[in-house]
Amino acid sequence: MLKLIKERKVLKDNSTFFNLLKISLERDLNEKEQNRFLESSYRNITYLEEEFKNAKDNVIGNLIIYNVLIHNGITLVNDLRNGLNITKDNFIKENINQFSAHYQTVKEYEEAFLEYRESSTDESYDKTIEKFEEAIDYSEGYTERKTLTKKS
């Protein structure tokens, strides 16, 4: 039952995130929308973090490759959290777009990781490493200072 409730919360937060992202492409988000965007984003990051920490806690034996992939996932989640903190401090369209692209690449890494966990093939490992490198590239590119863009 708890798992079902959590799945619903995850789906709701994903829906909120993507709906507000869609709105942000059309116009600037008002303060209430910005807060909802940030709250759902932080929760989505927490869900990702829990996924990798649970995987780490459930490792049986010394599976070096598997542990490296988990560590990569935790690193990506931390980078994503840092990107959201930058976005929070400078909530401009460029950072929203950067965060959403960054979030998407981390989700793609998570999917590749889950695929590797199921199959443990060389092909799925290579895909996971490729997705990791893509996501790392998106950790850069945030605007870390206030700009002259109009505030809503």
Side-chain angles (χ1 to χ4, degrees), residues 20-83:
L20 290 170
L21 179 60
K22 182 179 170 185
I23 292 169
S24 77
L25 296 174
E26 299 168 4
R27 64 170 171 81
D28 291 338
L29 298 177
N30 62 38
E31 190 172 333
K32 183 178 177 182
E33 291 168 330
Q34 287 179 10
N35 288 335
R36 285 181 53 217
F37 180 89
L38 292 169
E39 288 169 3
S40 69
S41 298
Y42 279 116
R43 284 192 297 268
N44 283 327
I45 290 170
T46 300
Y47 301 143
L48 284 167
E49 183 176 48
E50 287 173 3
E51 176 85 35
F52 289 110
K53 286 187 176 181
N54 286 338
K56 184 177 182 179
D57 291 342
N58 293 325
V59 171
I60 298 171
N62 187 16
L63 304 171
I64 294 172
I65 293 175
Y66 191 63
N67 282 320
V68 166
L69 296 178
I70 293 170
H71 176 74
N72 288 352
I74 292 171
T75 298
L76 294 178
V77 170
N78 289 334
D79 288 348
L80 192 60
R81 182 173 281 118
N82 290 338

Side-chain angles (χ1 to χ4, degrees), residues 24-146:
S24 77
L25 296 174
E26 299 168 4
R27 64 170 171 81
D28 291 338
L29 298 177
N30 62 38
E31 190 172 333
K32 183 178 177 182
E33 291 168 330
Q34 287 179 10
N35 288 335
R36 285 181 53 217
F37 180 89
L38 292 169
E39 288 169 3
S40 69
S41 298
Y42 279 116
R43 284 192 297 268
N44 283 327
I45 290 170
T46 300
Y47 301 143
L48 284 167
E49 183 176 48
E50 287 173 3
E51 176 85 35
F52 289 110
K53 286 187 176 181
N54 286 338
K56 184 177 182 179
D57 291 342
N58 293 325
V59 171
I60 298 171
N62 187 16
L63 304 171
I64 294 172
I65 293 175
Y66 191 63
N67 282 320
V68 166
L69 296 178
I70 293 170
H71 176 74
N72 288 352
I74 292 171
T75 298
L76 294 178
V77 170
N78 289 334
D79 288 348
L80 192 60
R81 182 173 281 118
N82 290 338
L84 187 57
N85 288 335
I86 293 167
T87 300
K88 177 183 155 197
D89 293 339
N90 195 10
F91 203 91
I92 57 173
K93 195 167 289 220
E94 292 84 353
N95 279 347
I96 295 169
N97 293 339
Q98 180 67 27
F99 176 77
S100 64
H102 189 185
Y103 176 76
Q104 183 61 40
T105 60
V106 175
K107 288 292 288 180
E108 289 172 3
Y109 177 82
E110 177 196 30
E111 290 171 12
F113 170 77
L114 293 173
E115 183 181 320
Y116 175 77
R117 185 167 69 180
E118 291 296 317
S119 66
S120 297
T121 65
D122 288 343
E123 183 179 304
S124 63
Y125 174 79
D126 292 341
K127 181 179 178 182
T128 306
I129 294 300
E130 179 183 309
K131 294 298 180 184
F132 174 74
E133 291 169 353
E134 287 176 20
I136 283 290
D137 289 345
Y138 276 96
S139 65
E140 303 291 325
Y142 289 94
T143 302
E144 296 189 40
R145 59 183 166 72
K146 296 289 182 184

